[in-house]
Every structure is written in C-alpha cells, then in structure tokens.
Amino acid sequence: MASNKRKRPAADSATRSTPSDSPPGVHAASGWFDSPLKRHGAALLVLVVVSFGFFGPIHFSGKSLIAFDTVSWRAMAESMIDYKEATGEQALWATHPFAGMPGYLIAAPEGVPQVDAVTSALRKVIWPSSHFLVMLGGAYVLGFMLTGGVWSALFAACAYGLTTYMPIILSAGHNSKFIALAFAPWLIVAFGYAMRRPGLLQGLLFAIALGANLSAGHIQITYYAVWVIALWWLVEGVRALRGEGRAAFLRATGWLALGGLLGIAMVANPYLAISEYKDFTIRGADPGGAPGTMDWTYAMGWSQGVAELLTLLIADAFGGSAAYWGPKDFTGGPHYVGGLVLVFAVLAVWRYRTPAVLGLGIAAAVMTLFALGEHFPLLNRPMYDYFPLFDSFRVPETWLSMVALALAALAAVGIEGVLGEREKAGSFLRSPAVIAFGAAIAFTAVLWLGGESLLSFERPGEFARISQQIASGNNVPPNDPRVEQAARQYLDEVGVQRRDLFGGDALRTLLFLALGLGVVVAT
C-alpha cells in the first residue's frame, strides 16, 4: 500500500518557512549538479535555447515579425513621430486616429527610467526573446518556489511560455499584452515570497514586479494577475483566521499593501492621465454599462464557448483558426495547454492542498468561468454589473491566459509529487498519477472515437448564414432548393476538414498522455 505520508523535498528547509507548503519531492543530486548555482545555470541555458530556437527564423534567418496591430499603431503614431522629428519635442496629441486623441494613449511621453529599462533596451536588439526569456524565467522561478525542483520548474516555464496563445498574440501585434504576460509570473512570485517571508525587502520586490507589469501598458493583464494574487491571498487569510500564522499573514499583507502603493506610484504617469480620459471613452462604463459606454454585448464579445474549453486539451477541437466552428465571430487560434499540463495540475489540487496550490487552483477555476463570459451569465452578469473594473475589459477568453499560468505552476507541483511518491499502493494501478493519467486517456479516447456523435462540427446558425451568402451572391431567393443544396455541400466539405483536424489532434493528445503515463510508471 502506498503511504499517504508526504515526504518533504531535501531543498525545502532552505526555501520555505512552512513545512506544509510543498509536495513530496526528490532533489538529491550528485556530481556536477550538487551546486544550486550550476543547476539553475543549466536551467537558464535550456530556457535560452528554447527561446532562441522558438524564434529562430527571426534571430537567425533575417525574418521580421510584422503584425497588423503593429502596423496600425505606426499609422496612428505617425503624426506624433513626425512632430518629434521636426521639433525635438514630444507630441501630446495624435491627429490620425479617429478625430484625434491624447498622445499618451498612443505613445506615452518619455519619463524617468523604469524598472523594465533593461528589457526595453534589449527589445530593440532581440525582440521577442527579450521578453520571452523574462516570461520563461518568471514561470521557472514560480515553479521552483512552489516545489524546489529544477525539472518541474523547467516544465512549468515551457508549459506557460509555449501555450498557443503566445505566438497568436505576437502574430497579431498585441505586443503590450505579451510584455504584461511576461512579467505576470514575477508578480505572483513576489506575492508568494512576501506571504512566506514577510518583510521590507519582499514588499519592495512586489513593488518592482507590479511596476514592471504596469509599465507594459496592458492593465487588463495586470488586472487578471491581481485576481490570481487576491484569491491566493484569501486562501492564506482563511488559514490565518483558523489560527495558523495569523501574525505573519498580517505582516505580509501590510508589506504587500505598501509594495502595491509604491508599484502604482512608479507608473502614475501615464495612468493618472488615462484614468481621466477613460470616462469619455467606451471603456468608461459605470456599473451596469450606462448608455454610451461599453455595454454587455460588446464587453462579452469573444466569450469562450463552454464546449470550446476542450481546446485546452485538444488544440483543434474546434477547428483551429481557418476552419473554426465555435461561437466566436472568428479566432486566431485556440487556448491550448495540453494534456500533460492538465493531468499534473489536477494531481496537484487532488493530492497537495497547500495554500498556494488551493489559491492557484481556485484562481484557475474562477477565471475559467469568467472566460465563458456571456455563456455563463449567472456569474458574469453580476460581476459585470457590480464588481470594480470588470466591465472595463472585453474579450473574456483573455482570462485563459492567466489560467494557463496557474495550470503551469500547478503542473510543476504535480510533477514534483510524482517524483517524490516512490512507494506504490499495493499495485501501481492504484497510484494517483496512474489513475489521473488513465482517466485522461479514457476521456480523450471517448472523444476521439465518438467525436462524430458528440460534436456537431458546425457553427451555430452557420447553415442559414451560408445560405444567405449564396443567395445574395447569385441573386436568387434564399428558399431556392439549389441554395440549400450548395450550402449543405459546402458544410459537408468543411465538416470533413474539421473532423480531420479534431481527430488528428485528439490522437496526438492520446499519444502524449500515453507517453506521460509510461514515464510515470517507469519512475
């Protein structure tokens, strides 16, 4: 029988102040990897290889990343750029977008150097690896902080950095969002460190991480990251109310509050100016979406479909991008993290319910419900009506970018637990890891084999829309039998493509899960 006794990692005593904050793990090393500096150095080298390998065509083949939003920004900023070149002064008004708008919404005036000055300088040389390395490094440190394990932390880094959402937003030109996502793990690391060892230094580190994240200029991502922190903080608070470390919790909260104020002060410009202008824009919504502001329908555009959550497991479950058949108007691609990440994350929540794991697990669940937007109004409508700033952001599926980070961190905990549980429960079939992998394989196999009957592979109202397009293009009435025949023929053809995409990715997921199960059994 497997013992339920949790074995503590050898490295725990040096990295944690509370014994209950980690899963069992194995960190015994010998030879070259005896040195923590060498282990982390080797991990950093791996992350550098991952980054430059992933963006190899840009760094080594002379190619450029040209995205629509980047070109659009240049067009909007052109008048400001011309003015500065002609006068040497920073323009405060942009004449090109709309009927003109304040320049600080296009390109903020240069101020004092910020905490992200180094990465901003590197951006001119090795973009996007300049910030992709920040992203990978932050997820690595977060994974290591939770587990004390190098390999599990490396897995967390790659799991977060290589989610499909990252190249999608880069190809679309959402650079500020990408930068904010790069600094998000560091913000959560600083919070977790302050909760474990409250003090002035920890508060200052939180201020630096918050300032760097806000400097990216994409407050929506910062808002989402703060939700992760807030839910983790609530879990810690409940534990404190039960009498476990109440004084330490209050000290940590105080230092984090101070750090938060300092972090906001670092980037007061241009946010103070933007906050004044916001009331006159579509994002200046009062609670409930007052007339003239961002209403419910607009804010909930690009909500993640309930069934579409399958794309977290099977990338092309809903057709990817070109053959997309989900409820959104269109999409650049799925939110995909992969079967291995999901299984290990579930294992972490199932087996190692520390405050950090519970906080991240609850955050992942709540933010997934937020991502459903209009498809889950029971929660999201009251949040939109009454919760501060919730009605200021659109595209609810963006919440899944933070879900991916939480799942990656949880997966590191799950992996470390598997490495630490050497004692088997009578039969390896009763191992929690084997049970979790077996359930995931069975679920995916059912989808793969039964996809034809379980999924429609047709968008809501797609037949009527295609029929209308055919009728309009051929100047015939929509009820013409030939229109119906042509529409059905088109949907049958595209349906084959969608089924092939789903079947291929479902099979790939099965293979990865089987490989993961094999590794678990072998360990």
Side-chain angles (χ1 to χ4, degrees):
M1 297 290 291
S3 171
N4 290 324
K5 186 177 181 180
R6 296 341 189 230
K7 297 182 181 178
R8 288 182 46 74
D12 250 11
S13 60
T15 59
R16 296 178 179 82
S17 58
T18 55
S20 61
D21 277 357
S22 62
V26 176
H27 308 296
S30 60
W32 194 83
F33 282 97
D34 275 340
S35 166
L37 182 61
K38 291 179 179 179
R39 290 199 298 272
H40 293 310
L44 176 60
L45 180 61
V46 170
L47 297 180
V48 170
V49 171
V50 168
S51 179
F52 281 87
F54 190 68
F55 295 109
I58 297 174
H59 298 311
F60 306 118
S61 300
K63 298 184 182 297
S64 299
L65 189 62
I66 301 176
F68 174 79
D69 278 15
T70 304
V71 175
S72 298
W73 173 87
R74 175 73 191 201
M76 289 191 294
E78 190 68 30
S79 63
M80 298 178 62
I81 295 171
D82 291 344
Y83 180 84
K84 185 172 183 179
E85 290 177 350
T87 66
E89 298 178 358
Q90 179 72 41
L92 300 180
W93 187 261
T95 60
H96 288 179
F98 308 110
M101 63 190 301
Y104 51 75
L105 295 173
I106 306 297
E110 296 176 358
V112 297
Q114 291 288 345
V115 293
D116 62 340
V118 174
T119 53
S120 296
L122 288 175
R123 179 180 179 179
K124 301 175 182 178
V125 182
I126 55 170
W127 172 261
S129 284
S130 55
H131 288 79
F132 192 57
L133 284 170
V134 172
M135 177 183 291
L136 295 176
Y140 172 82
V141 174
L142 177 59
F144 187 81
M145 182 181 73
L146 294 174
T147 67
V150 171
W151 299 114
S152 53
L154 273 174
F155 182 90
C158 293
Y160 177 54
L162 298 178
T163 56
T164 55
Y165 192 64
M166 302 308 174
I168 288 172
I169 60 175
L170 279 173
S171 62
H174 299 170
N175 296 341
S176 61
K177 181 185 292 186
F178 179 76
I179 294 172
L181 288 169
F183 284 110
W186 292 101
L187 183 59
I188 298 172
V189 165
F191 167 80
Y193 186 41
M195 291 305 303
R196 290 182 176 184
R197 298 184 179 180
L200 174 61
L201 173 62
Q202 288 75 7
L204 293 177
L205 290 175
F206 184 74
I208 292 171
L210 179 59
N213 194 275
L214 286 169
S215 291
H218 205 291
I219 195 172
Q220 183 173 3
I221 297 300
T222 307
Y223 182 76
Y224 293 171
V226 169
W227 264 93
V228 178
I229 290 170
L231 291 169
W232 184 348
W233 178 84
L234 285 174
V235 172
E236 296 279 2
V238 170
R239 186 177 72 160
L241 287 175
R242 293 176 175 175
E244 302 178 35
R246 186 175 302 171
F249 172 77
L250 292 175
R251 287 197 306 273
T253 301
W255 288 119
L256 286 167
L258 176 62
L261 291 174
L262 290 175
I264 294 172
M266 289 181 190
V267 292
N269 179 33
Y271 279 103
L272 288 177
I274 292 174
S275 67
E276 294 178 0
Y277 185 76
K278 174 178 177 290
D279 292 337
F280 302 95
T281 72
I282 195 172
R283 296 182 185 270
D286 293 327
T293 59
M294 188 159 64
D295 63 16
W296 165 261
T297 301
Y298 182 73
M300 294 296 113
W302 278 269
S303 295
Q304 185 79 355
V306 177
E308 198 178 2
L309 290 175
L310 280 175
T311 58
L312 291 169
L313 174 67
I314 301 171
D316 282 337
F318 275 74
S321 55
Y324 176 69
W325 57 276
K328 304 169 192 146
D329 290 345
F330 61 87
T331 182
H335 285 271
Y336 171 69
V337 297
L340 294 179
V341 174
L342 290 171
V343 170
F344 284 123
V346 168
L347 266 173
V349 176
W350 177 20
R351 298 285 292 169
Y352 314 111
R353 296 177 185 174
T354 67
V357 168
L358 284 176
L360 291 170
I362 292 171
V366 170
M367 292 187 299
T368 298
L369 295 178
F370 288 162
L372 298 178
E374 64 183 354
H375 304 301
F376 192 54
L378 181 65
L379 171 66
N380 291 316
R381 185 73 207 205
M383 291 294 296
Y384 168 85
D385 285 341
Y386 303 113
F387 199 85
L389 292 180
F390 198 90
D391 58 358
S392 297
F393 306 114
R394 57 189 295 267
V395 190
E397 69 165 355
T398 309
W399 284 98
L400 293 176
S401 62
M402 280 295 98
V403 173
L405 175 56
L407 291 175
L410 290 170
V413 177
I415 289 173
E416 203 61 29
V418 171
L419 293 175
E421 289 189 340
R422 299 292 185 177
E423 299 176 20
K424 305 301 180 182
S427 166
F428 79 91
L429 293 177
R430 298 180 61 183
S431 162
V434 172
I435 293 173
F437 269 98
I441 289 173
F443 176 74
T444 307
V446 168
L447 289 174
W448 179 47
L449 296 173
E452 293 283 343
S453 57
L454 295 173
L455 301 173
S456 68
F457 298 101
E458 186 173 313
R459 301 185 68 172
E462 189 172 20
F463 180 80
R465 180 174 57 83
I466 296 297
S467 298
Q468 184 61 46
Q469 290 175 354
I470 294 173
S472 299
N474 293 275
N475 197 27
V476 295
N479 59 356
D480 190 309
R482 293 172 298 175
V483 170
E484 180 178 348
Q485 181 181 3
R488 180 49 56 195
Q489 181 179 354
Y490 167 80
L491 289 177
D492 288 344
E493 291 173 356
V494 77
V496 171
Q497 182 184 0
R498 291 165 176 171
R499 288 176 176 84
D500 288 343
L501 285 170
F502 170 79
D505 266 356
L507 180 59
R508 181 180 62 182
T509 298
L510 274 173
L511 293 176
F512 272 106
L513 288 172
L515 179 62
L517 176 59
V519 172
V520 166
V521 172
T523 58

